[in-house]
Amino acid sequence: MYSITLQKTWTMEIVGVEGNTTNSDLVTADWKVEHINRTSTGISGTIDMRYEFTEDSMIEIVLYRSATGNADSYQLLPYRILKTQVHDFMDQYYKGFIKDFETCSNFPVIETKARDYKFQQLYRFNKCTFTTDPMPNYLQEGYYKAIIQFSGETDWSVTCIAHVESIRFRDSLDTNPIEKVSPGLRYLSFSILVTKARDYKFLQLYRFEKCTMTNDPMPNYMPEGYYKVIIQFSGETDWSLTFVVQVESTRQ
């Protein structure tokens, strides 16, 4: 049996970054966006950490989206990382986010536990980028604002803004690799794309039997609750498919 493994249906460009602090005696930050090449950007700058993280040091990440990028048009998204002790955050999310800084900064390479390291120093970042692997394969176009908030000894934050553009539907199909799946996952009549989507005809009766969906394209971190997904088609006629799923957290 075969299925289509979907890749990212969007591209992202970093368009803004800034730092804020309530006590410049303990931490200062200076950020800017720089072009890596003609089509991609990265973050450069410094963070001067003049205090050491303790058990009271906390971090929280909040996400917003705007269709236009206007400062007063951002709306809070349900995806967030709740306030967590800093060392625990690094232990849990180092491979997903922080590891990206290994090649573009002097941030410590954490090989054991975060509590084994000291973080009070001047950090330099040179055209750093972020992996999109933990992010969903499907993102609505627009501007996304991530605010990384630190609290404890002092309150300070880093705000990053990225612009997301969609890849056209057929073009995204063209780039999807074909891979084998288990016999329990059965796509009974959907076309197997081995060339380009435009090379195929889709006018036929499709039958599906006990199909499941991989969660690989979904974010690694989702709040518990019920999620409704509406797949809308338009053109010759308007039609849609609606799925409702329940998400429960994995208890560690």
Side-chain angles (χ1 to χ4, degrees):
M1 293 293 176
Y2 294 85
S3 73
I4 297 174
T5 300
L6 296 177
Q7 305 299 308
K8 293 290 186 288
T9 61
W10 49 270
T11 60
M12 180 182 73
E13 179 185 12
I14 301 171
V15 296
V17 61
E18 67 175 2
N20 291 285
T21 180
T22 59
N23 189 339
S24 58
D25 291 334
L26 293 182
V27 61
T28 59
D30 181 25
W31 296 101
K32 62 181 177 180
V33 176
E34 289 191 315
H35 278 277
I36 299 173
N37 52 45
R38 295 178 60 185
T39 59
S40 61
T41 56
I43 294 175
S44 298
T46 60
I47 295 180
D48 192 359
M49 284 280 299
R50 300 169 186 165
Y51 73 96
E52 191 58 65
F53 289 135
T54 68
E55 294 304 313
D56 295 326
S57 303
M58 308 295 287
I59 184 174
E60 179 182 11
I61 300 179
V62 184
L63 298 177
Y64 299 83
R65 179 191 170 274
S66 164
T68 63
N70 294 333
D72 59 352
S73 64
Y74 282 90
Q75 296 183 335
L76 182 66
L77 295 175
Y79 307 111
R80 65 188 304 166
I81 296 179
L82 299 177
K83 187 175 289 187
T84 306
Q85 202 279 333
V86 169
H87 298 106
D88 294 338
F89 170 87
M90 292 185 187
D91 289 339
Q92 184 172 359
Y93 299 110
Y94 178 79
K95 292 183 179 179
F97 297 102
I98 309 171
K99 189 176 176 64
D100 292 340
F101 296 139
E102 286 184 1
T103 58
C104 66
S105 76
N106 61 332
F107 194 86
V109 177
I110 299 177
E111 298 177 341
T112 55
K113 294 291 186 179
R115 287 179 175 83
D116 298 334
Y117 294 79
K118 299 296 183 182
F119 297 93
Q120 183 176 346
Q121 70 176 83
L122 174 65
Y123 295 100
R124 302 182 187 276
F125 302 84
N126 182 31
K127 298 180 181 178
C128 293
T129 59
F130 301 93
T131 177
T132 60
D133 291 346
M135 303 178 189
N137 279 0
Y138 319 103
L139 273 179
Q140 189 175 2
E141 286 190 324
Y143 293 83
Y144 288 79
K145 178 191 294 185
I147 303 179
I148 307 170
Q149 299 173 324
F150 294 85
S151 59
E153 293 74 11
T154 186
D155 294 336
W156 61 284
S157 65
V158 177
T159 300
C160 183
I161 298 176
H163 182 215
V164 168
E165 288 186 326
S166 295
I167 301 172
R168 291 182 303 168
F169 174 70
R170 283 185 180 269
D171 290 341
S172 67
L173 282 180
D174 291 341
T175 62
N176 291 333
I178 307 301
E179 64 177 343
K180 291 184 178 180
V181 296
S182 64
L185 183 58
R186 301 172 61 188
Y187 294 84
L188 295 188
S189 61
F190 193 80
S191 300
I192 300 300
L193 305 182
V194 295
T195 56
K196 296 287 187 178
R198 289 178 175 83
D199 297 336
Y200 291 79
K201 301 297 184 182
F202 296 93
L203 179 61
Q204 71 175 78
L205 173 64
Y206 294 98
R207 294 184 173 89
F208 302 86
E209 180 181 344
K210 298 179 181 178
C211 294
T212 60
M213 298 183 183
T214 176
N215 59 12
D216 291 343
M218 301 178 187
N220 290 350
Y221 324 106
M222 293 185 69
E224 289 187 322
Y226 291 86
Y227 290 77
K228 180 188 291 185
V229 179
I230 303 177
I231 305 172
Q232 297 176 322
F233 294 82
S234 60
E236 293 75 10
T237 186
D238 295 336
W239 61 285
S240 65
L241 298 173
T242 300
F243 299 89
V244 179
V245 298
Q246 182 181 7
V247 169
E248 291 184 334
S249 298
T250 303
R251 307 300 180 184
Q252 297 183 352

